[in-house]
């Protein structure tokens, strides 16, 4: 049946259906068929976070602060440390190239959200299934996406605990609470926040997190200038072996990749935008992305360059740990980080909640209910807390996760999907651009994973699990 005849036949109803297809309506439009959904199916769709009908009416500025919260996270605090391993030339090159490449791949994903007329790919794996097939698409995308999202949540647990401990130690002379206890305190807030049903419900937390990210980034580079004179004269230069130079260089590349992880939730964020055939969601979504990336640049480049310029080789893997003065400002910045991480954790956890709850109600046929959600989500929060207190290797986790999973889902998987779906003419500008991104992304994945894994192995040799003594639990 021709599309124009079909549209004329069902009239305005089709436009209304396409606004929210394929979820949350009595009908959805799949190519040429108007499919009726039962009341039970619609109730399930409305209960699952990403497909909830209350999740479809956000404005472009929601996209902006959701993307800022997703992008500007814990990773920015490690950028001066990464610069200290990369050096000025390679460091600035990697920062700028990462910003350009990831903005390009993010544009691709926004464009592909509705690449099929009348259908919305609200989840990363759904776009992968369209490109690679139902089964292969799941196996390619879901493991990588889960590694990224679960990995971010684990690292955010660690940094949240470290930030709270740094704040506590800055305002109290007695340091009687260990890092493991602060991680558990930070996790306790998520047992409540995780019950917020969908992205729209967490907009307040996400907005606060976006404001906090800009605030603590500004404090980080501003305080670095203030600390320069004291830190600069105390630099020490060690004689390092080739391995001691090369592998940290590799790991630092992963630290940079970790800072550009918003692609893993961009389709889920775009699913909150309303869409019609004449006014697709990509318009307001792209406006929000551009604003978010401007804010990303204002956070990333000053922190990385000024932090390294001021502190040099002495900078810690979390720059706020390296800063001491003014004491009250550093304490405030660490509290800002903790508040940001509350929102950032929820943004990355929401797609995981969506996957878990979809399996529970669609595969296992459990009845949607508040206590099912309460049990499932709190179990996940407890799991990430358990791993965080077991492996508090912040910088090495950044390098390993950044290389192994963040690089594929951010730097080159969108390009591969674009080539498969769009099929640009061979040797055209689009074809060359995507292949260059793929080659660079694969190289980044390999070297960053190797560097990060080596760092984890070295730190783990002298680490005692769940010990209340030692550098990881007694120091931030």
């Amino acid at each position: 049946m021709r599309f124009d005849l079909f549209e004329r036949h069902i009239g305005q109803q089709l436009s209304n259906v396409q606004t929210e297809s394929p979820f949350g309506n009595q009908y959805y439009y799949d190519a040429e068929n108007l499919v009726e959904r039962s009341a039970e199916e619609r109730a399930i769709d409305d209960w699952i976070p990403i497909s909830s009908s209350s999740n479809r009416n956000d404005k472009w500025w929601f996209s902006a602060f959701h993307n800022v919260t997703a992008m500007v996270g814990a990773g920015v605090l490690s950028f001066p440390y990464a610069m200290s391993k990369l050096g000025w030339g390679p460091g600035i090159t990697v920062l700028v190239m990462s910003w350009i490449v990831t903005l390009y791949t993010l544009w691709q994903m926004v464009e592909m959200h509705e690449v099929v007329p009348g259908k919305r790919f609200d989840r990363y794996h759904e776009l992968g299934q369209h490109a690679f097939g139902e089964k292969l698409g799941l196996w390619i995308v879901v493991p990588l996406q889960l590694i990224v999202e679960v990995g971010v949540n684990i690292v955010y647990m660690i940094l949240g605990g470290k930030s709270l401990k740094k704040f506590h130690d800055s305002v109290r002379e007695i340091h009687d609470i260990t890092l493991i206890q602060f991680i558990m305190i930070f996790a306790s807030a998520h047992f409540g926040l995780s019950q917020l049903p969908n992205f729209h419900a967490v907009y307040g937390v996400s907005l606060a997190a976006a404001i906090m990210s800009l605030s603590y980034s500004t404090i980080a580079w501003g305080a670095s200038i203030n600390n320069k004179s004291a830190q600069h004269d105390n630099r020490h230069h060690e004689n390092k072996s080739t391995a001691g130079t090369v592998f940290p260089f590799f790991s630092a590349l992963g630290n940079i990749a970790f800072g550009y992880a918003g692609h893993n939730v961009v389709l889920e964020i775009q699913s909150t935008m309303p869409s019609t055939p004449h006014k697709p969601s990509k318009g307001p979504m792209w406006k929000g992305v551009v604003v978010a990336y401007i804010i990303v640049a204002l956070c990333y480049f000053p922190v990385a360059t000024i932090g390294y310029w001021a502190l040099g080789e002495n900078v810690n893997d979390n720059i706020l740990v390296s800063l001491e003065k003014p004491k009250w400002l550093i304490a405030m910045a660490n509290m800002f980080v903790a508040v940001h991480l509350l929102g950032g954790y929820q943004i990355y956890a929401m797609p995981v909640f969506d996957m878990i709850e979809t399996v529970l109600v669609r595969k296992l046929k459990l009845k949607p209910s508040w206590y099912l959600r309460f049990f499932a989500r709190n179990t996940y929060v407890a799991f990430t807390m358990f791993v965080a207190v077991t492996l508090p290797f912040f910088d090495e986790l950044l390098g390993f996760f950044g290389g192994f999973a963040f690089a594929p889902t951010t730097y080159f998987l969108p390009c591969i999907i674009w080539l498969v779906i769009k099929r640009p003419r061979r040797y055209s500008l689009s074809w060359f651009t995507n292949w260059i991104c793929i080659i660079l992304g694969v190289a980044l994945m390999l070297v960053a994973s190797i560097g990060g894994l080596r760092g984890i192995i070295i730190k783990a040799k002298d680490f005692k699990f769940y010990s209340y003594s030692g550098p990881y639990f007694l120091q931030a």
Side-chain angles (χ1 to χ4, degrees):
M1 181 184 297
R2 288 174 53 191
F3 177 80
D4 55 344
L5 295 178
F6 182 75
E7 185 176 25
R8 188 180 308 126
H9 175 68
I10 62 174
Q12 185 61 37
Q13 183 186 41
L14 177 60
S15 298
N16 295 335
V17 170
Q18 286 181 310
T19 300
E20 299 298 342
S21 66
F23 297 111
N25 298 279
Q26 184 176 357
Y27 302 94
Y28 71 92
Y29 179 62
D30 64 344
E32 290 188 348
N33 300 301
L34 194 64
V35 181
E36 185 174 2
R37 303 179 63 76
S38 68
E40 182 180 0
E41 289 173 326
R42 284 184 282 123
I44 291 175
D45 283 342
D46 203 44
W47 186 78
I48 294 173
I50 304 301
S51 58
S52 174
S53 60
S54 63
N55 208 35
R56 295 288 195 183
N57 299 305
D58 288 351
K59 307 299 182 182
W60 70 265
W61 52 85
F62 285 74
S63 160
F65 59 72
H66 281 325
N67 277 285
V68 170
T69 300
M71 195 76 68
V72 186
V76 66
L77 299 177
S78 73
F79 276 18
Y81 175 80
M83 287 287 292
S84 72
K85 304 303 178 185
L86 296 172
W88 281 112
I92 292 177
T93 300
V94 171
L95 277 174
V96 174
M97 288 299 297
S98 293
W99 191 88
I100 294 172
V101 169
T102 56
L103 179 59
Y104 171 69
T105 55
L106 198 56
W107 169 80
Q108 288 180 312
M109 296 197 69
V110 170
E111 287 289 314
M112 290 188 290
H113 181 79
E114 294 166 294
V115 69
V116 176
K119 183 175 178 64
R120 300 181 68 172
F121 296 106
D122 291 333
R123 301 164 177 86
Y124 203 149
H125 69 81
E126 291 177 355
L127 185 61
Q129 287 176 296
H130 176 69
F132 307 119
E134 290 293 320
K135 291 186 178 180
L136 182 59
L138 280 177
W139 281 105
I140 290 175
V141 177
V142 171
L144 290 174
Q145 194 178 15
L146 281 176
I147 290 172
V148 169
E149 290 161 354
V150 177
V152 168
N153 286 155
I154 292 170
V155 173
Y156 278 14
M157 280 284 185
I158 297 169
L159 189 63
K162 285 187 174 183
S163 299
L164 289 177
K165 179 168 176 56
K166 181 69 174 179
F167 173 80
H168 171 269
D169 293 350
S170 297
V171 298
R172 288 195 69 209
E173 294 183 359
I174 301 176
H175 304 164
D176 54 348
I177 305 179
T178 64
L179 176 58
I180 189 172
Q181 292 167 323
F182 274 113
I183 292 175
M184 296 175 72
I185 292 170
F186 181 77
S188 65
H190 291 293
F191 287 110
L193 289 175
S194 65
Q195 300 309 306
L196 295 172
N198 51 46
F199 273 118
H200 181 74
V202 301
Y203 79 90
V205 180
S206 181
L207 176 59
I211 295 172
M212 293 299 101
S213 64
L214 186 58
S215 301
Y216 69 70
S217 296
T218 303
I219 291 174
W221 65 259
S224 295
I225 296 175
N226 187 62
N227 280 260
K228 175 177 169 52
S229 58
Q231 295 286 345
H232 187 78
D233 296 335
N234 293 328
R235 291 184 188 180
H236 56 86
H237 299 277
E238 299 176 357
N239 293 321
K240 296 181 180 179
S241 64
T242 301
T245 301
V246 173
F247 286 107
F249 183 95
F250 289 169
S251 182
L253 294 174
N255 286 22
I256 301 298
F258 187 94
Y260 294 93
H263 299 59
N264 292 276
V265 294
V266 68
L267 293 179
E268 288 81 355
I269 293 172
Q270 191 168 348
S271 72
T272 68
M273 303 284 110
S275 181
T276 68
H278 305 295
K279 205 171 181 182
S281 63
K282 65 182 181 181
M285 182 65 186
W286 179 242
K287 185 188 295 184
V289 167
V290 170
V291 172
Y293 253 70
I294 292 172
I295 297 175
V296 166
L298 293 175
C299 293
Y300 283 13
F301 297 127
V303 171
T305 56
I306 296 175
Y308 176 48
W309 167 76
L311 303 177
E313 299 296 325
N314 288 333
V315 67
N316 197 280
D317 62 300
N318 177 354
I319 187 174
L320 294 181
V321 175
S322 301
L323 299 172
E324 300 295 337
K325 299 176 182 179
K327 193 172 183 180
W328 66 269
L329 189 62
I330 303 305
M332 183 188 301
N334 278 280
M335 183 53 67
F336 287 168
V337 172
V339 173
H340 167 81
L341 294 174
L342 289 175
Y345 183 101
Q346 293 302 315
I347 291 294
Y348 280 96
M350 196 61 69
V352 181
F353 295 156
D354 182 82
M355 293 182 193
I356 293 172
E357 291 166 11
T358 297
V359 170
L360 291 175
V361 300
R362 293 199 182 279
K363 300 295 184 182
L364 302 181
K365 304 298 182 183
L366 299 178
K367 183 179 179 181
S369 60
W370 71 267
Y371 47 85
L372 178 64
R373 174 167 287 164
F374 180 86
F375 174 79
R377 295 190 178 190
N378 284 342
T379 299
Y380 173 77
V381 172
F383 167 75
T384 57
M385 179 187 70
F386 169 77
V387 178
V389 300
T390 303
L391 299 170
F393 312 129
F394 176 58
D395 55 325
E396 281 74 23
L397 282 174
L398 285 180
F400 180 70
F401 284 130
F404 184 72
F406 288 66
T409 56
T410 300
Y411 286 80
F412 66 86
L413 187 56
C415 297
I416 295 174
I417 296 175
W418 183 273
L419 291 174
V420 172
I421 294 177
K422 292 289 189 176
R423 299 183 182 276
R425 182 171 53 85
R426 182 170 292 190
Y427 307 125
S428 64
L429 178 61
S430 175
W431 187 88
F432 271 117
T433 302
N434 283 286
W435 275 109
I436 290 172
C437 292
I438 291 170
I439 292 170
L440 293 176
V442 170
L444 175 63
M445 176 187 69
L446 294 175
V447 300
S449 298
I450 293 170
L453 184 60
R454 176 182 179 271
I456 293 175
I457 293 172
I458 291 174
K459 288 288 182 71
K461 287 193 302 183
D462 301 320
F463 177 71
K464 296 180 179 180
F465 289 102
Y466 312 116
S467 170
Y468 282 82
S469 62
Y472 294 106
F473 290 113
L474 292 178
Q475 299 176 14

